[in-house]
Amino acid sequence: MPGRGSRPSARTSLFAYGAAAGLAVDLLLGDPRRAHPVAAFGRAASAVERRLYRDDRGRGALHTAVCAGGAVALGALAARTVRGSRAATAALTAASVWAVVGGTTLGREARAIGGALAAGDLEVARERMPHLVGRDPQALDGPAMARAVVESVAENTSDAVVGALVWGAVAGVPGLLGFRAVNTLDAMVGHKSPRYRRYGWASARLDDLAGAPGARLTAVLATVAGGDPRGAVRAWRADAGKHPSPNAGPVEAAFAGALGVRLGGTLSYGGRVEHRPVLNGEGRPVEVADIERAVRLSRRVTWLTLAVCVGGRMIASALKRRNA
């Protein structure tokens, strides 16, 4: 007979306590300032790339399997090591959530840029932009930077918070670490540059698959928690499919509708100009004050996600017991 700590309801409670503690630590401290685990993973992934790189999809798939699989295996080993202790299990979950989510740092960076824009200091805003977005800051004026920040807050709410919590609810610590590994690999090699068009294909596709549940949940919760649910639904249904990213589309469209603003349009990455479809064309242009509104919406979505994930685990545990 399994021990008390192995019962589904006990595991759900430990996940709830650990995840809530991890989010609370993130709220208080933000990302770890030194020896960030994600940075360590990035260095390891770069070392693997140096050994494996060829302009070939197969080599890229192997790179993805080694790096993402290694993160999942590390998480499984750590979880197995502390399995006999409820306190250690909750602490490991808390530490993992703190390591992989980035909601507080996301909000701080967005607010810092918003403060510079409000003060009319475009140069300071441009200096901080690379901390948050990958666009060419010199090509952006004040309104374009404000729009880029709101778009980044929306997308990273899904990538840096909701997606990780969803996979943590599904697969525990291995899910948390695995999702962050996949998302980091996509940021490193998943873009369509000449070097990574083939090599990064597997990482990009896996990120699309892993990010899909979190993106849809983010869009739903932004609709519920935003100021204009009807507008969010309308923008999501009308415009999400126009976005080149299958996951960023629903999230950014729902945020645009919820906030009543217009996102999308022309942008520049690495000297390459892209003309993206407008999301929520009925909305008004983004203003500096909308950055704070987006950050607050992101925070509400974060805590609603925790409630949904814990509730989902409780329902799954109840169904298991009923069918046992």
Side-chain angles (χ1 to χ4, degrees), residues 41 64-80 167 171-182 206:
F41 172 82
T64 302
V66 169
C67 295
V72 171
L74 178 62
L77 177 61
R80 183 179 181 85
W167 281 104
V173 171
L176 288 165
L177 301 190
F179 177 79
R180 175 53 59 217
V182 169
L206 183 58

Side-chain angles (χ1 to χ4, degrees), residues 161-185:
V161 182
V162 178
L165 291 176
V166 167
W167 281 104
V170 171
V173 171
L176 288 165
L177 301 190
F179 177 79
R180 175 53 59 217
V182 169
N183 191 248
T184 303
L185 287 173

